[in-house]
Amino acid sequence: MRTQDPKTIYLKEYQQPAFWVDHIHLTVKVFDGYTEVTSELSLRKNPTVASRELVLNGVDQKIQSLHLNDAQLTETDYQYSGGLLTLNCATDTARFRAVTRIDPQNNTSLEGLYQSGSMLCTQCEAEGFRKITFYPDRPDVMATFTTRIEADAKRFPVLLSNGNPVDSGTLDDGRHFAVWEDPFPKPSYLFALVAGDLAGKDDRFTTRSGREVTLRIFVEPQNAHKVDFALASLKKAMQWDEDVYGREYDLDLFMIVASDFFNMGAMENKGLNIFNSAAVLASPDTSNDQRFERIEGIVAHEYFHNWSGNRVTCRDWFQLSLKEGFTVFRDTEFSSDMHDRAVKRIETVAGLRAVQFPEDSGPMAHPVRPDSYIEINNFYTATVYEKGAEVVRMIHTLVGAEDFRRGSDLYFERFDGQAVTTDDFVACMEQVSGLDLTQFKRWYSQAGTPRLAVTDEFDADNGNYTLTFKQACPATPGQPEKSPFVIPVKLGLLGTDGQDLAIKTRANYSAETEVLTLTDEVTDVVFTGLTERPVPSLLRDFSAPVKWSFGYSDEQLAFLAANDANGFNRWDALQQLYIRAILSLATDRRAGRTLTAPSVLVETVANVAGDATLSHAIRASMLTLPGYAILKDAVDVVYIEDLIAARKHLVKTLATRYRDIWRSLTEKLSSHAPYEFNAEESGRRQLQGLSLWYWLKAGDQAAFDFAAQLYAGATNQTDRSNALRAVLAGDAEALQQSLLSDFYDHWQSDTQMVEQWLTMQAGTPGTTVSDIETLMQHPAFDIKNPNKVRSVIVGFAMNTESFHDDDGEGYALLASVVQQLNALNPQLAARLVTLLSDWKRYDATRGKMMAKALETILATQSLSSNVFEMAQRALKD
Ligand code: B3K
Ligand code: ZN
């Protein structure tokens, strides 16, 4: 164990800095082997703070010289330890100048300035700017930036930073320079710099007030054919933000750069977004529909941050969800408007349940607005992002679309150019709507997924139907007791004919929005004037992120799946049936009983598969079984072999019973039309892919032949990956091997395709730890590249059957990879620790082995604070 644990930062201890920065002038000179950074800060005393201490963050800085108001500082004038430079500043305005050297070529943390392939680029959120120069690296310090970059003209012909280009020219020794000016005050986490030999492509967008904006995307030359889709997505996003939020872009230039080495998806730096190549480069031949959809969403997300994040930013990192929750809500709405709203809602909720719910019910649970952290990078979580977006969605539901828009207008106007809090956001919504959201704000401060148990009673004599809602929220780390949440419940009542009945009730319910607002631990709602006992359709569109239950019979769930007027709830009813069936099959297996899939479910599946009134995409979503993440979250103790066997049994039953349906769907859904990415076409391909997968599971030779042909004749990556996915899930090993090696031979020079190739292999059932070790020796693998690590290691951890093999070797492998990455890239290493964090849910033997892997990690020499925090939280009681 460490002798000294890293420091914990608390929200309650927030204090403004003693000095603000009005302007920073940066000069970055790139040389072989080192980079020299000169930074000149114009400082202004904060009159509300008594202290005169100037506190600057700085990590891995080799100091060349420091000046305060033109006086050179000597070592007795300042203190520099633990990443903090502190000195006394007697004047109310001051100039501070630092000349330091940094080493981007050897910066494998991918934070600050680092080398990605042949280019240099930056990642400053959350606290990377301190790796570039000394600065008050906190989001409440907002300054205007001027950035001068000097570098070799041949190696780095393109030199970029935030804002507008204001000067450029040549220097001696084959070097050149460029100067950029960003007129909008911003926190340091939004700073960006790129230097490289990049190909650019331009497009244009005219804003509604007539501003002509140049859109420019930069990529390594071999990727020049993969930029059009991102540019088109960007224009759609710009238009949408004007139409839906009245928000216009504010500079003359908007740039996107693609980088192969990147810790996450993308980064919203002002005017210069930097993207993980995998999240921006697209072509029909190398990206499947899912990837297109993801890219469109991420491009929009980063663009939307220009307002929700950049113009109005976070006061401190506890407020991260202020920008992330709101921006995820915005990008989700954008995607819903671009494609199919019900399908998007299904995808969002499936993701929330698979990732955020388990996070919220385990040792990593934390509020949407955390109270404390050691390493803020560990809090870029599904809770802050996705649950945060659900919280904003509930506000939207409660205040209504019109007031939500007025509230967001007020928010952007009132706080433009400021760093604020989630309370400030909510206050705007309160002001425009007149609602008191005090109790609602518990969604920001209380962790855990509330449980909502619903029961009913029908009084036939009086025509009264009563629903009783009981809410409770389990304890989470540091929060043993919870107070009731405000829970919006959108509902309908179905009559025997499957139609919605007219609803009359006494309280809490708005007939206009069909939303009932719960505020108490127990709420009775009486619906009047009913001549029959209805079937309730609850939490329509998943109106609140809760785990709700109602004692439906299988028949009632099947009835809802067939009739509910709410598309989302049709899907959800069937999901409940699947989960129920798989869990009961798992119990049967454990008890040694024979397995029989329930007939109500089996019949419902046939009805859905043949229901031509449903869109292809909805049918595909409804026919997709819940994954292990969701199944695991539904049981107290995970006996993984039982879950696997139960799920397989259900798949096999559906596959063999309906082989003719799968076959005919697969064949009928073929098309030779040129590839187009839109809701209809991607829905068709999705349903075909799924049908082929089922057909193949039935073991028909014709299915294997079809898949091999689909693969060979594919003119787009969606068909190709559908064929591969189906074949890899079957047991025709020779065919699997031949397709995989063909794939690599053909695509080895395409980075995105190689990443997919790695992911496919890591995820194939039957892959062993030694296969993974072999894959990690392959020339295509690089432990310093996060995409490659995610493809192989996360891909393997998602391969439930293999990763959880009872020899525990999967866990040990993961621990050793974390140990290696701890020194290279602590942020990525810490992410991987979460793959073991649900250890307590497994059977005792597996749980122990997983905990042991966590202990091994915790015992690592020179453990980073990132990994320390995660492993220690995961192991805590
Ligand atoms: N704001 C960035 C995420 C930064 C993560 C730093 N560890 C991307 C985004 O959410 O848009
Ligand atoms: Zn974001």
Side-chain angles (χ1 to χ4, degrees), residues 245-247 307 312 405-418 428:
Y245 281 85
R247 296 292 122 198
W307 277 97
V312 182
R405 169 62 197 273
R406 296 202 300 135
S408 84
D409 285 352
L410 177 64
Y411 170 73
F412 289 129
E413 275 145 37
R414 180 181 286 171
F415 299 118
D416 193 6
Q418 295 183 43
C428 291

Side-chain angles (χ1 to χ4, degrees), residues 56 76 109 157 218 322 357 362 489 566 585 601 664 669 675 695 722 744 756 826 849:
L56 304 172
T76 52
S109 72
F218 288 101
L322 173 75
F357 278 15
V489 176
N566 190 267
L585 287 169
L601 170 62
S664 98
L669 292 167
Y675 178 87
W695 183 21
N722 279 345
Y744 186 74
Q756 293 176 58
M849 292 189 293

Side-chain angles (χ1 to χ4, degrees), residues 578-627:
Y578 286 132
I579 293 172
R580 191 180 278 188
I582 295 169
L583 297 190
S584 104
L585 287 169
T587 311
D588 287 346
R589 181 181 188 267
R590 198 146 191 79
R593 292 188 284 264
T594 37
L595 306 190
T596 319
S599 55
V600 176
L601 170 62
V602 175
E603 281 152 28
T604 304
V605 166
N607 295 338
V608 171
D611 188 344
T613 66
L614 294 170
S615 73
H616 291 145
I618 288 280
R619 267 197 272 173
S621 318
M622 291 183 78
L623 296 171
T624 301
L625 264 51

Side-chain angles (χ1 to χ4, degrees), residues 309-329:
N310 300 5
R311 291 283 288 254
V312 182
T313 194
C314 304
R315 186 193 73 174
D316 53 71
W317 290 119
F318 298 101
Q319 318 297 329
L320 182 56
S321 197
L322 173 75
K323 73 178 179 81
E324 296 305 346
F326 188 21
T327 306
V328 171
F329 172 71

